[in-house]
Amino acid sequence: MTIEGRPELNVDWNAQYDKQRRSRLDDAIAEYIGDKEIDPRRCYEEILSVCNEWYAYHKNEKNKWAELKSLMMGHRPMDPEFLAEDRNSNFPGENTLTLGA
């Protein structure tokens, strides 16, 4: 059996990915600049807009992760009713202590 036609397995996949990513960027920019109705300023503003959207998204996600970590570390307001509720009850609130009564 010959090995003709088999894919090359000793490939630098990181280099291949870098090359493909660069090619996708090239295609996107070329599409903008190639459109006669779009000027370079609009291309620039839309790229900047995308960057701002990704920044806001990741900032929000970072804040959500930080809040979860804070809760997991015990940094949360104490809710006496929640702490007094009977965990063995099938009906939430059935055996809850009433504060001030």
Side-chain angles (χ1 to χ4, degrees):
M1 182 171 198
T2 66
I3 59 170
E4 293 174 24
R6 289 189 179 181
E8 176 64 46
L9 298 178
N10 296 325
V11 175
D12 182 354
W13 295 111
N14 287 330
Q16 289 295 318
Y17 179 74
D18 289 346
K19 196 173 177 182
Q20 291 171 5
R21 180 179 51 213
R22 174 75 158 72
S23 179
R24 291 190 304 272
L25 178 62
D26 178 56
D27 289 345
I29 293 172
E31 184 176 339
Y32 270 88
I33 297 302
D35 188 328
K36 294 185 185 342
E37 296 181 17
I38 296 180
D39 63 352
R41 178 69 185 203
R42 180 169 171 197
C43 179
Y44 157 78
E45 288 174 352
E46 290 197 15
I47 292 171
L48 187 58
S49 176
V50 168
C51 291
N52 286 335
E53 289 167 8
W54 277 107
Y55 175 80
Y57 171 79
H58 285 288
K59 184 177 180 183
N60 183 47
E61 293 302 307
K62 177 184 170 191
N63 291 342
K64 286 170 59 178
W65 281 107
E67 182 179 351
L68 175 61
K69 181 181 177 186
S70 179
L71 289 168
M72 298 297 290
M73 298 300 291
H75 303 288
R76 58 191 171 273
M78 193 162 68
D79 182 354
E81 284 190 34
F82 173 77
L83 295 174
E85 189 173 308
D86 182 0
R87 297 286 181 261
N88 296 319
S89 172
N90 290 326
F91 303 98
E94 177 185 50
N95 297 322
T96 303
L97 295 175
T98 306
L99 299 176

